[in-house]
Amino acid sequence: MRKGDGEVKFGYFDDRDREYVITQPDTPLPWINYLGCEAYFGIISNTAGGYSFYRDARLRRLTRYRYNNVPFDFGGRYVYLRDNESKEFWSPSWQPTRHELKDYTCRHGMGYSVIGSTYAGIEAHTRYFVPLGENLEIWQLTVTNGRATKARLSGFASIEFCLWDAQDDATNFQRNFNTGQVEVEDGVIYHKTEYRERRNHFAYFACSEPVGFDTQREAFLGRYRSWDKPVTVEAGALTNSIAHGWSPMGAHQVSLELEPGETKEIVFVLGYHENPVEDKFDPPGSQTINKKTVKPVIAKYLDSAEADAAFERLRSYWEKTLGVFQVNTPDPHTNRMVNIWNAYQCMATFNMSRSASFYESGIGRGLGFRDSNQDLLGFVHMVPSRARERILDLAATQLPTGGAYHQYQPLTKRGNNDIGGGFNDDPHWLIVGVSAYLKETGDWSILDEAVQYDNEPGSEQPLYEHLQRSFNYTLTRLGPHGLPLIGRADWNDCLNLNCFSDTPGQSFQTTTNKDGKVAESVFIAGLFVYAGRELAAIAEKRGLEAEAKKYIGETEKMLAVINEHGWDGEWFLRAYDDFGRKIGSKECEEGKIFIESNGFCALAGIGLEDGKAASAMDAVGKHLATKHGIVVQQPAYSKYYLELGEISSYPPGYKENAGIFCHVNPWVMIGETRLGRGDAAHDYYSRINPSAREEIGDLHRCEPYVYAQMIAGKDAPTFGEAKNSWLTGTAAWNYYAIVQWILGIRTTLEGLEIAPVIPKNWPGFTATRRFRGVAYEVAIERRGDGNSIALTVDGEAIEGNIVKAPGDGRGTVMVKGILS
Ligand code: GLC
Ligand code: GLC
């Protein structure tokens, strides 16, 4: 399929089944999927690579994974088949044996992946998924004999246990090579390292028809061998080894004797289980795991009918979850991303924040305060109750100053002291997150929830007060021009204006060598105005008019400061550095114009009346927009600037140094809609839409079904190459931009606003939106070129463009909009 530059496809979308079907195993990068959407999670690549964990990828990792491996994606949930007559063995998922397979396919779907192929007349595929409500994953291996003769096969399935704490597992061998312990009972392998002491959880790996097992890696693989050629698989027999220290693993052997045309299914279950501390052992006083409560769970899911039923429940869950918003526009890429993949990615970013992907090790970062609040924008409509819980968790890590820990660990839900706070944009994102929740649900009770500061018992105050402190945080941290001080960084983690680091290995994010009383951020100023207006609207709704006025007063003051000190003539400045010099100005030699301040100010509606927003968006179009998306700044920094920090540490065109940060592109899209320019907004949307980039797979390289954080910018030798797929604020912001601003189906405190700003050549679109218990069937028809809309609700014309709840028990409402 190779045509021009980078024009290769590695699969196709199956929109009906909500799957991406990969047809070639050696994709440019591992193309992954997530299993699980509650507490048990797995990452799985298109060749069955990846690992699993319970809640926290660092502290409760079930299976081992080596990052930075060669090849990149190695180690996983590997199945082998062996023909006992020819003695040949292979892996239906291609890795680890890498045989030349027929009809290789990997179907990544909503919470599951099916990987398989045909080899030597044997068709085999494995369906991997995590049932709802359970802490386990199921692998259903189906093998069909396509030969004219009987096939005598053996099957093997293997995983490598991680000794729980992934960081320790990767470093502390002097201890860990001695601690590994397993039990095998009734053919089930139990991994119980450290269970004897401070753990009351264990992992298990079970099989529906086990005929042999191994638990010691060396016994399974053989000396000096790797996963592509285990000595046991080669020989056709596992050795029933019991691990004592070294590297515990789980391998099962099954026997597959198949008549011509016959199909057989084998089920494997990998899971996590906890026992009450006082009930760890059976009999009490022994060192044997108490298996009373886990055995029924294992038995249940080894039954393939139960496994199938669990799979159907997972399907309906996604049907329902995605059903909250569905759209039909003239653009298939828009439809597919909004209806399926972008929403799905928003679930992953909500669950993982930036912790566990193939680019985030799961060891370093926990959940980000800024990131997780923004993730709510694309998630809150799907499972509002979980958004509520997340908001309360986040707010409980807020500091009494109103500032925030930049990150927290999901298992402990406590602020991360190593990273600390001082990212001065952080607190405002809480207002943005809470506001999105209120607009979606109308659940005002959340504001009265008593929430701790810094997780200190006794410090509880209503959530509403947390928002007040968030806002006030900036008021007490203004710089020489009256703009917000930037602190360690604002949204752009790499614009470190108080860092001045010349020592290798220092963290740009946590090193602050200047006292930070000078460097200011125009971006935070824009965010302050935006958040201040949201907070004012909330206050007003609560009947706190004086307070609302105060917030508006402060935002007006900030607007005046932005006008005076934040405007460069044609666009918004980005910041002032520690010497009070401009950043993002025509006066600068490099970094004359930045996307963040321009995008966010326009999004916030700053400069709509006096032409500044239009001028800024035009400047962005002229200086920053490329065919692959909008870069962070121009010109790129060609050398390291001590006073700017990490941004200038990246070679030109990568990451924050003039890369295309897909997270902030939507700010410009929204800015364009605020100017009524639907063509430009949708054009920017399409440039980074992964589905629209599917045809250039060899250039784009990342998965065509999810966004990547970054696409290399025009200064980079690999212009157009995406990197860091999956866990990025890109998911939520693009979803929010297309759904709420371009399609214009927008949640407000008052009801559902309908304000599309769509391309001129779209005749219209239809959408279904379930909102606060009512299904809104929206049909938009274009009759003129503009964006003015006339609405009828169930045939009756309404004033304005906010559709209020019917209030008379109607469950479905037809909304028709005529654009002219
Ligand atoms: C990463 C971070 C995010 C930050 C962005 C820009 O995506 O997760 O918090 O805003 O980079 O630096
Ligand atoms: C690095 C990355 C940036 C990310 C930050 C998070 O600086 O370049 O994108 O936000 O790490 O710690």
Side-chain angles (χ1 to χ4, degrees):
M1 233 186 276
R2 189 176 288 271
K3 284 177 270 169
D5 189 21
E7 287 183 41
V8 186
K9 273 177 71 173
F10 295 90
Y12 59 92
F13 285 93
D14 177 343
D15 292 336
R16 205 206 49 189
D17 281 332
R18 301 194 177 108
E19 292 174 337
Y20 190 80
V21 188
I22 301 165
T23 51
Q24 191 177 318
D26 56 340
T27 45
L29 290 163
W31 284 7
I32 71 165
N33 192 13
Y34 283 86
L35 308 177
C37 51
E38 296 165 323
Y40 182 102
F41 298 103
I43 299 179
I44 187 162
S45 75
N46 57 305
T47 62
Y51 62 97
S52 303
F53 57 96
Y54 172 73
R55 285 194 193 277
D56 190 312
R58 170 164 176 182
L59 300 173
R60 288 278 200 285
R61 193 173 298 193
L62 269 75
T63 61
R64 185 169 282 154
Y65 192 75
R66 286 172 196 79
Y67 287 97
N68 218 344
N69 214 334
V70 183
F72 190 176
D73 173 27
F74 203 61
R77 304 168 181 82
Y78 292 147
V79 169
Y80 306 83
L81 293 179
R82 180 180 191 269
D83 185 325
N84 291 331
E85 270 149 17
S86 70
K87 300 194 170 48
E88 205 183 3
F89 66 91
W90 70 98
S91 219
S93 62
W94 191 59
Q95 288 240 71
T97 65
R98 292 198 290 275
H99 280 68
E100 196 135 320
L101 304 168
K102 240 184 90 203
D103 302 329
Y104 158 89
T105 52
C106 165
R107 293 183 163 265
H108 283 320
M110 305 288 104
Y112 67 91
S113 294
V114 185
I115 311 175
S117 58
T118 299
Y119 187 78
I122 305 295
E123 195 283 331
H125 58 266
T126 311
R127 181 167 76 185
Y128 301 89
F129 72 100
V130 175
L132 292 165
E134 301 287 2
N135 295 323
L136 56 87
E137 63 188 66
I138 297 177
W139 313 1
Q140 288 173 283
L141 166 67
T142 307
V143 185
T144 304
N145 179 10
R147 301 175 183 166
T149 54
K150 183 167 176 161
R152 290 187 179 80
L153 311 172
S154 294
F156 303 85
S158 63
I159 47 99
E160 192 176 1
F161 289 115
C162 177
L163 306 188
W164 303 112
D165 178 338
Q167 170 79 33
D168 187 69
D169 182 77
T171 49
N172 195 7
F173 309 119
Q174 62 81 25
R175 169 179 163 83
N176 295 339
F177 283 163
N178 297 288
T179 55
Q181 287 190 300
V182 298
E183 283 177 30
V184 180
E185 195 177 310
D186 303 334
V188 180
I189 297 166
Y190 296 88
H191 173 230
K192 63 165 185 176
T193 302
E194 292 186 344
Y195 190 75
R196 67 204 304 278
E197 25 138 350
R198 292 163 297 183
R199 294 183 184 277
N200 61 326
H201 46 263
F202 56 89
Y204 56 86
F205 188 42
C207 168
S208 57
E209 295 179 36
V211 299
F213 66 87
D214 263 310
T215 69
Q216 184 67 277
R217 192 181 68 204
E218 192 182 303
F220 176 72
L221 294 180
R223 289 183 201 162
Y224 286 90
R225 290 191 181 221
S226 183
W227 299 87
D228 58 339
K229 234 180 168 195
V231 67
T232 47
V233 176
E234 191 177 83
L238 296 185
T239 67
N240 294 0
S241 60
I242 296 289
H244 302 286
W246 295 113
S247 308
M249 53 97 61
H252 286 291
Q253 178 170 352
V254 297
S255 165
L256 296 157
E257 305 255 318
L258 300 172
E259 297 299 330
E262 190 186 346
T263 296
K264 192 167 167 140
E265 185 185 315
I266 305 283
V267 183
F268 301 92
V269 176
L270 172 67
Y272 170 91
H273 196 74
E274 284 176 11
N275 274 337
V277 178
E278 61 288 356
D279 241 351
K280 275 169 62 167
F281 301 108
D282 180 27
S286 78
Q287 290 291 301
T288 312
I289 300 176
N290 176 354
K291 307 186 183 76
K292 286 202 185 88
T293 54
V294 74
K295 277 187 174 170
V297 181
I298 297 175
K300 176 171 177 190
Y301 291 106
L302 284 180
D303 180 316
S304 73
E306 288 284 359
D308 287 345
F311 184 75
E312 284 316 312
R313 285 195 294 276
L314 183 67
R315 277 243 197 224
S316 338
Y317 169 84
W318 275 106
E319 177 85 37
K320 183 163 166 259
T321 305
L322 297 177
V324 177
F325 189 82
Q326 289 287 296
V327 72
N328 190 4
T329 77
D331 176 37
H333 303 297
T334 300
N335 299 344
R336 166 184 294 157
M337 290 310 290
V338 170
N339 295 340
I340 308 169
W341 290 100
N342 193 179
Y344 182 64
Q345 187 180 2
C346 285
M347 173 71 86
T349 57
F350 174 84
N351 283 324
M352 303 288 134
S353 188
R354 310 295 170 266
S355 69
S357 74
F358 267 32
Y359 308 91
E360 304 278 4
S361 69
I363 293 175
R365 296 211 252 175
L367 269 68
F369 192 89
R370 171 205 293 145
D371 293 335
S372 291
N373 274 304
Q374 291 175 70
D375 291 345
L376 295 170
L377 294 173
F379 174 80
V380 63
H381 66 291
M382 290 194 278
V383 197
S385 59
R386 293 187 66 206
R388 188 181 207 275
E389 188 190 334
R390 175 64 53 77
I391 286 170
L392 298 176
D393 286 347
L394 282 165
T397 67
Q398 189 179 25
L399 296 160
T401 58
Y405 283 104
H406 198 47
Q407 290 160 14
Y408 77 93
Q409 241 5 80
L411 197 69
T412 60
K413 297 190 172 175
R414 291 190 160 260
N416 185 333
N417 266 317
D418 303 338
I419 292 141
F423 295 75
N424 283 350
D425 63 317
D426 270 341
H428 294 293
W429 295 115
L430 182 65
I431 301 177
V432 174
V434 171
S435 167
Y437 175 80
L438 291 172
K439 289 175 184 172
E440 177 66 36
T441 61
D443 166 22
W444 291 83
S445 75
I446 193 173
L447 295 177
D448 301 318
E449 289 282 346
V451 184
Q452 296 174 344
Y453 286 98
D454 197 5
N455 297 102
E456 272 302 319
S459 65
E460 291 81 2
Q461 291 295 333
L463 177 65
Y464 183 67
E465 202 208 275
H466 285 254
L467 304 186
Q468 295 171 309
R469 290 199 197 179
S470 289
F471 186 75
N472 290 334
Y473 179 83
T474 292
L475 287 180
T476 53
R477 282 166 187 78
L478 297 175
H481 298 94
L483 290 162
L485 291 171
I486 197 166
R488 284 178 160 160
D490 61 21
W491 173 87
N492 191 328
D493 266 338
C494 299
L495 192 61
N496 315 115
L497 304 181
N498 295 301
C499 178
F500 292 83
S501 173
D502 55 9
T503 308
Q506 261 178 352
S507 156
F508 287 103
Q509 265 88 55
T510 57
T511 307
T512 41
N513 291 321
K514 288 290 161 100
D515 68 358
K517 299 260 164 43
V518 179
E520 300 169 301
S521 163
V522 177
F523 164 74
I524 301 183
L527 176 60
F528 175 87
V529 170
Y530 180 82
R533 289 177 180 160
E534 300 281 292
L535 188 56
I538 293 170
E540 203 172 302
K541 264 272 185 188
R542 297 199 107 198
L544 305 170
E545 282 185 13
E547 206 181 302
K549 272 216 184 92
K550 190 189 108 192
Y551 296 138
I552 292 297
E554 294 298 345
T555 61
E556 310 250 286
K557 272 196 242 160
M558 188 61 80
L559 280 172
V561 176
I562 295 175
N563 280 330
E564 198 179 337
H565 299 294
W567 181 248
D568 198 51
E570 280 177 75
W571 56 79
F572 293 98
L573 285 175
R574 177 63 177 84
Y576 287 93
D577 70 13
D578 184 60
F579 307 100
R581 295 180 310 210
K582 293 173 182 169
I583 295 176
S585 158
K586 56 181 176 301
E587 294 166 23
C588 305
E589 218 163 282
E590 300 187 322
K592 289 174 192 284
I593 171 171
F594 276 71
I595 191 172
E596 302 98 309
S597 47
N598 287 294
F600 212 88
C601 285
L603 170 161
I606 299 170
L608 284 182
E609 296 85 17
D610 62 10
K612 286 199 177 76
S615 167
M617 291 300 89
D618 291 344
V620 165
K622 187 164 159 208
H623 302 289
L624 301 182
T626 77
K627 62 179 177 179
H628 294 297
I630 310 167
V631 301
V632 174
Q633 94 278 21
Q634 280 293 294
Y637 294 117
S638 60
K639 54 178 193 264
Y640 179 52
Y641 292 86
L642 187 66
E643 70 278 18
L644 299 182
E646 185 169 358
I647 188 168
S648 57
S649 74
Y650 289 110
Y654 293 103
K655 294 278 280 179
E656 283 86 342
N657 189 12
I660 295 157
F661 235 79
C662 299
H663 178 152
V664 281
N665 277 229
W667 299 353
V668 176
M669 297 167 204
I670 298 172
E672 291 288 358
T673 66
R674 301 222 54 176
L675 293 165
R677 309 198 297 206
D679 281 328
H682 195 265
D683 177 19
Y684 287 141
Y685 173 76
S686 301
R687 293 186 204 192
I688 61 169
N689 182 326
S691 161
R693 299 174 64 77
E694 187 196 15
E695 304 276 341
I696 49 166
D698 229 9
L699 175 64
H700 185 78
R701 288 170 44 91
C702 278
E703 297 93 329
Y705 43 90
V706 291
Y707 285 96
Q709 177 201 55
M710 202 250 339
I711 297 174
K714 60 186 176 187
D715 302 288
T718 59
F719 180 35
E721 179 195 38
K723 231 179 253 174
N724 302 357
S725 57
W726 280 96
L727 302 186
T728 158
T730 308
W733 274 107
N734 277 281
Y735 189 85
Y736 180 68
I738 183 73
V739 170
Q740 301 222 13
W741 293 91
I742 298 176
L743 300 173
I745 303 191
R746 186 148 70 233
T747 56
T748 73
L749 297 175
E750 316 299 332
L752 202 58
E753 183 172 357
I754 311 289
V757 185
I758 52 175
K760 289 209 168 57
N761 65 4
W762 281 18
F765 67 89
T766 57
T768 306
R769 175 67 156 96
R770 287 207 311 270
F771 178 66
R772 303 193 194 174
V774 178
Y776 294 87
E777 299 290 347
V778 181
I780 304 295
E781 188 192 322
R782 190 184 262 306
R783 290 205 190 142
D785 264 1
N787 304 306
S788 14
I789 191 154
L791 290 179
T792 59
V793 175
D794 280 342
E796 293 207 12
I798 63 160
E799 286 268 320
N801 63 353
I802 296 185
V803 183
K804 302 244 167 77
D808 57 5
R810 264 178 290 168
T812 304
V813 170
M814 306 294 296
V815 181
K816 285 224 164 91
I818 306 294
L819 279 181
S820 58

mmCIF file with all atom_site columns, all heavy atoms in Angstrom, residues 365 493-494 509 646 650 655-656 661 709, ligand 2:
data_model
loop_
_atom_site.group_PDB
_atom_site.id
_atom_site.type_symbol
_atom_site.label_atom_id
_atom_site.label_alt_id
_atom_site.label_comp_id
_atom_site.label_asym_id
_atom_site.label_entity_id
_atom_site.label_seq_id
_atom_site.pdbx_PDB_ins_code
_atom_site.Cartn_x
_atom_site.Cartn_y
_atom_site.Cartn_z
_atom_site.occupancy
_atom_site.B_iso_or_equiv
_atom_site.pdbx_formal_charge
_atom_site.auth_seq_id
_atom_site.auth_comp_id
_atom_site.auth_asym_id
_atom_site.auth_atom_id
_atom_site.pdbx_PDB_model_num
ATOM   1   N N   . ARG A 1 365 ? 5.189  9.147  37.389 1.00 0.00 ? 365 ARG A N   1
ATOM   2   C CA  . ARG A 1 365 ? 4.118  10.082 37.687 1.00 0.00 ? 365 ARG A CA  1
ATOM   3   C C   . ARG A 1 365 ? 2.876  9.399  38.216 1.00 0.00 ? 365 ARG A C   1
ATOM   4   O O   . ARG A 1 365 ? 2.457  8.369  37.733 1.00 0.00 ? 365 ARG A O   1
ATOM   5   C CB  . ARG A 1 365 ? 3.727  10.819 36.407 1.00 0.00 ? 365 ARG A CB  1
ATOM   6   C CG  . ARG A 1 365 ? 4.839  11.662 35.868 1.00 0.00 ? 365 ARG A CG  1
ATOM   7   C CD  . ARG A 1 365 ? 4.238  12.835 35.169 1.00 0.00 ? 365 ARG A CD  1
ATOM   8   N NE  . ARG A 1 365 ? 4.367  12.726 33.731 1.00 0.00 ? 365 ARG A NE  1
ATOM   9   C CZ  . ARG A 1 365 ? 3.811  13.616 32.903 1.00 0.00 ? 365 ARG A CZ  1
ATOM   10  N NH1 . ARG A 1 365 ? 3.080  14.587 33.365 1.00 0.00 ? 365 ARG A NH1 1
ATOM   11  N NH2 . ARG A 1 365 ? 3.982  13.491 31.615 1.00 0.00 ? 365 ARG A NH2 1
ATOM   12  N N   . ASP A 1 493 ? 4.829  22.943 31.185 1.00 0.00 ? 493 ASP A N   1
ATOM   13  C CA  . ASP A 1 493 ? 5.729  22.449 32.221 1.00 0.00 ? 493 ASP A CA  1
ATOM   14  C C   . ASP A 1 493 ? 7.186  22.789 31.945 1.00 0.00 ? 493 ASP A C   1
ATOM   15  O O   . ASP A 1 493 ? 8.029  22.639 32.826 1.00 0.00 ? 493 ASP A O   1
ATOM   16  C CB  . ASP A 1 493 ? 5.638  20.913 32.270 1.00 0.00 ? 493 ASP A CB  1
ATOM   17  C CG  . ASP A 1 493 ? 4.639  20.426 33.286 1.00 0.00 ? 493 ASP A CG  1
ATOM   18  O OD1 . ASP A 1 493 ? 4.335  21.186 34.213 1.00 0.00 ? 493 ASP A OD1 1
ATOM   19  O OD2 . ASP A 1 493 ? 4.162  19.294 33.129 1.00 0.00 ? 493 ASP A OD2 1
ATOM   20  N N   . CYS A 1 494 ? 7.460  23.135 30.731 1.00 0.00 ? 494 CYS A N   1
ATOM   21  C CA  . CYS A 1 494 ? 8.856  23.303 30.330 1.00 0.00 ? 494 CYS A CA  1
ATOM   22  C C   . CYS A 1 494 ? 9.270  24.766 30.222 1.00 0.00 ? 494 CYS A C   1
ATOM   23  O O   . CYS A 1 494 ? 10.409 25.060 29.867 1.00 0.00 ? 494 CYS A O   1
ATOM   24  C CB  . CYS A 1 494 ? 9.091  22.577 29.018 1.00 0.00 ? 494 CYS A CB  1
ATOM   25  S SG  . CYS A 1 494 ? 8.768  20.826 29.204 1.00 0.00 ? 494 CYS A SG  1
ATOM   26  N N   . GLN A 1 509 ? 11.469 20.745 36.617 1.00 0.00 ? 509 GLN A N   1
ATOM   27  C CA  . GLN A 1 509 ? 10.182 21.061 37.236 1.00 0.00 ? 509 GLN A CA  1
ATOM   28  C C   . GLN A 1 509 ? 10.306 21.404 38.713 1.00 0.00 ? 509 GLN A C   1
ATOM   29  O O   . GLN A 1 509 ? 9.495  22.125 39.248 1.00 0.00 ? 509 GLN A O   1
ATOM   30  C CB  . GLN A 1 509 ? 9.213  19.885 37.072 1.00 0.00 ? 509 GLN A CB  1
ATOM   31  C CG  . GLN A 1 509 ? 8.314  20.034 35.880 1.00 0.00 ? 509 GLN A CG  1
ATOM   32  C CD  . GLN A 1 509 ? 8.933  19.457 34.632 1.00 0.00 ? 509 GLN A CD  1
ATOM   33  O OE1 . GLN A 1 509 ? 9.320  18.305 34.596 1.00 0.00 ? 509 GLN A OE1 1
ATOM   34  N NE2 . GLN A 1 509 ? 9.041  20.273 33.611 1.00 0.00 ? 509 GLN A NE2 1
ATOM   35  N N   . GLU A 1 646 ? 13.457 24.092 30.559 1.00 0.00 ? 646 GLU A N   1
ATOM   36  C CA  . GLU A 1 646 ? 13.390 22.865 29.765 1.00 0.00 ? 646 GLU A CA  1
ATOM   37  C C   . GLU A 1 646 ? 12.951 23.092 28.327 1.00 0.00 ? 646 GLU A C   1
ATOM   38  O O   . GLU A 1 646 ? 13.342 22.356 27.423 1.00 0.00 ? 646 GLU A O   1
ATOM   39  C CB  . GLU A 1 646 ? 12.459 21.849 30.438 1.00 0.00 ? 646 GLU A CB  1
ATOM   40  C CG  . GLU A 1 646 ? 12.431 20.497 29.737 1.00 0.00 ? 646 GLU A CG  1
ATOM   41  C CD  . GLU A 1 646 ? 11.728 19.396 30.507 1.00 0.00 ? 646 GLU A CD  1
ATOM   42  O OE1 . GLU A 1 646 ? 11.278 19.647 31.640 1.00 0.00 ? 646 GLU A OE1 1
ATOM   43  O OE2 . GLU A 1 646 ? 11.647 18.274 29.984 1.00 0.00 ? 646 GLU A OE2 1
ATOM   44  N N   . TYR A 1 650 ? 14.911 20.947 24.437 1.00 0.00 ? 650 TYR A N   1
ATOM   45  C CA  . TYR A 1 650 ? 14.512 20.038 23.358 1.00 0.00 ? 650 TYR A CA  1
ATOM   46  C C   . TYR A 1 650 ? 15.040 20.552 22.024 1.00 0.00 ? 650 TYR A C   1
ATOM   47  O O   . TYR A 1 650 ? 14.997 21.755 21.765 1.00 0.00 ? 650 TYR A O   1
ATOM   48  C CB  . TYR A 1 650 ? 12.992 19.930 23.272 1.00 0.00 ? 650 TYR A CB  1
ATOM   49  C CG  . TYR A 1 650 ? 12.384 19.161 24.419 1.00 0.00 ? 650 TYR A CG  1
ATOM   50  C CD1 . TYR A 1 650 ? 11.617 19.782 25.391 1.00 0.00 ? 650 TYR A CD1 1
ATOM   51  C CD2 . TYR A 1 650 ? 12.586 17.781 24.512 1.00 0.00 ? 650 TYR A CD2 1
ATOM   52  C CE1 . TYR A 1 650 ? 11.061 19.063 26.440 1.00 0.00 ? 650 TYR A CE1 1
ATOM   53  C CE2 . TYR A 1 650 ? 12.031 17.064 25.562 1.00 0.00 ? 650 TYR A CE2 1
ATOM   54  C CZ  . TYR A 1 650 ? 11.274 17.703 26.522 1.00 0.00 ? 650 TYR A CZ  1
ATOM   55  O OH  . TYR A 1 650 ? 10.727 16.994 27.558 1.00 0.00 ? 650 TYR A OH  1
ATOM   56  N N   . LYS A 1 655 ? 8.492  18.330 21.176 1.00 0.00 ? 655 LYS A N   1
ATOM   57  C CA  . LYS A 1 655 ? 7.866  18.654 22.468 1.00 0.00 ? 655 LYS A CA  1
ATOM   58  C C   . LYS A 1 655 ? 7.581  20.155 22.563 1.00 0.00 ? 655 LYS A C   1
ATOM   59  O O   . LYS A 1 655 ? 7.163  20.784 21.610 1.00 0.00 ? 655 LYS A O   1
ATOM   60  C CB  . LYS A 1 655 ? 8.753  18.162 23.609 1.00 0.00 ? 655 LYS A CB  1
ATOM   61  C CG  . LYS A 1 655 ? 8.862  16.639 23.669 1.00 0.00 ? 655 LYS A CG  1
ATOM   62  C CD  . LYS A 1 655 ? 7.687  15.992 24.371 1.00 0.00 ? 655 LYS A CD  1
ATOM   63  C CE  . LYS A 1 655 ? 7.845  16.088 25.867 1.00 0.00 ? 655 LYS A CE  1
ATOM   64  N NZ  . LYS A 1 655 ? 6.694  15.495 26.560 1.00 0.00 ? 655 LYS A NZ  1
ATOM   65  N N   . GLU A 1 656 ? 7.813  20.716 23.738 1.00 0.00 ? 656 GLU A N   1
ATOM   66  C CA  . GLU A 1 656 ? 7.420  22.108 23.946 1.00 0.00 ? 656 GLU A CA  1
ATOM   67  C C   . GLU A 1 656 ? 8.239  23.095 23.120 1.00 0.00 ? 656 GLU A C   1
ATOM   68  O O   . GLU A 1 656 ? 7.861  24.247 22.989 1.00 0.00 ? 656 GLU A O   1
ATOM   69  C CB  . GLU A 1 656 ? 7.514  22.450 25.438 1.00 0.00 ? 656 GLU A CB  1
ATOM   70  C CG  . GLU A 1 656 ? 6.357  21.914 26.291 1.00 0.00 ? 656 GLU A CG  1
ATOM   71  C CD  . GLU A 1 656 ? 6.551  20.493 26.786 1.00 0.00 ? 656 GLU A CD  1
ATOM   72  O OE1 . GLU A 1 656 ? 7.389  19.744 26.238 1.00 0.00 ? 656 GLU A OE1 1
ATOM   73  O OE2 . GLU A 1 656 ? 5.837  20.103 27.742 1.00 0.00 ? 656 GLU A OE2 1
ATOM   74  N N   . PHE A 1 661 ? 1.906  20.456 19.923 1.00 0.00 ? 661 PHE A N   1
ATOM   75  C CA  . PHE A 1 661 ? 1.330  19.886 21.141 1.00 0.00 ? 661 PHE A CA  1
ATOM   76  C C   . PHE A 1 661 ? -0.172 19.777 20.912 1.00 0.00 ? 661 PHE A C   1
ATOM   77  O O   . PHE A 1 661 ? -0.886 20.772 20.883 1.00 0.00 ? 661 PHE A O   1
ATOM   78  C CB  . PHE A 1 661 ? 1.652  20.783 22.348 1.00 0.00 ? 661 PHE A CB  1
ATOM   79  C CG  . PHE A 1 661 ? 2.334  20.036 23.451 1.00 0.00 ? 661 PHE A CG  1
ATOM   80  C CD1 . PHE A 1 661 ? 3.697  19.760 23.372 1.00 0.00 ? 661 PHE A CD1 1
ATOM   81  C CD2 . PHE A 1 661 ? 1.628  19.581 24.548 1.00 0.00 ? 661 PHE A CD2 1
ATOM   82  C CE1 . PHE A 1 661 ? 4.339  19.047 24.375 1.00 0.00 ? 661 PHE A CE1 1
ATOM   83  C CE2 . PHE A 1 661 ? 2.263  18.859 25.561 1.00 0.00 ? 661 PHE A CE2 1
ATOM   84  C CZ  . PHE A 1 661 ? 3.619  18.590 25.478 1.00 0.00 ? 661 PHE A CZ  1
ATOM   85  N N   . GLN A 1 709 ? 0.331  12.871 22.253 1.00 0.00 ? 709 GLN A N   1
ATOM   86  C CA  . GLN A 1 709 ? 0.568  14.165 22.888 1.00 0.00 ? 709 GLN A CA  1
ATOM   87  C C   . GLN A 1 709 ? 1.172  15.142 21.889 1.00 0.00 ? 709 GLN A C   1
ATOM   88  O O   . GLN A 1 709 ? 0.849  16.324 21.887 1.00 0.00 ? 709 GLN A O   1
ATOM   89  C CB  . GLN A 1 709 ? 1.552  13.977 24.054 1.00 0.00 ? 709 GLN A CB  1
ATOM   90  C CG  . GLN A 1 709 ? 1.929  15.260 24.752 1.00 0.00 ? 709 GLN A CG  1
ATOM   91  C CD  . GLN A 1 709 ? 3.257  15.120 25.538 1.00 0.00 ? 709 GLN A CD  1
ATOM   92  O OE1 . GLN A 1 709 ? 4.284  14.735 24.988 1.00 0.00 ? 709 GLN A OE1 1
ATOM   93  N NE2 . GLN A 1 709 ? 3.203  15.418 26.813 1.00 0.00 ? 709 GLN A NE2 1
HETATM 94  C C1  . GLC B 2 .   ? 8.649  16.791 30.737 1.00 0.00 ? 2   GLC B C1  1
HETATM 95  C C2  . GLC B 2 .   ? 7.847  16.836 29.464 1.00 0.00 ? 2   GLC B C2  1
HETATM 96  C C3  . GLC B 2 .   ? 6.562  17.573 29.636 1.00 0.00 ? 2   GLC B C3  1
HETATM 97  C C4  . GLC B 2 .   ? 5.847  17.004 30.825 1.00 0.00 ? 2   GLC B C4  1
HETATM 98  C C5  . GLC B 2 .   ? 6.730  16.993 32.056 1.00 0.00 ? 2   GLC B C5  1
HETATM 99  C C6  . GLC B 2 .   ? 5.995  16.358 33.182 1.00 0.00 ? 2   GLC B C6  1
HETATM 100 O O1  . GLC B 2 .   ? 9.047  18.050 31.092 1.00 0.00 ? 2   GLC B O1  1
HETATM 101 O O2  . GLC B 2 .   ? 8.557  17.445 28.436 1.00 0.00 ? 2   GLC B O2  1
HETATM 102 O O3  . GLC B 2 .   ? 5.771  17.454 28.483 1.00 0.00 ? 2   GLC B O3  1
HETATM 103 O O4  . GLC B 2 .   ? 4.725  17.780 31.072 1.00 0.00 ? 2   GLC B O4  1
HETATM 104 O O5  . GLC B 2 .   ? 7.899  16.295 31.799 1.00 0.00 ? 2   GLC B O5  1
HETATM 105 O O6  . GLC B 2 .   ? 6.769  16.099 34.289 1.00 0.00 ? 2   GLC B O6  1
#
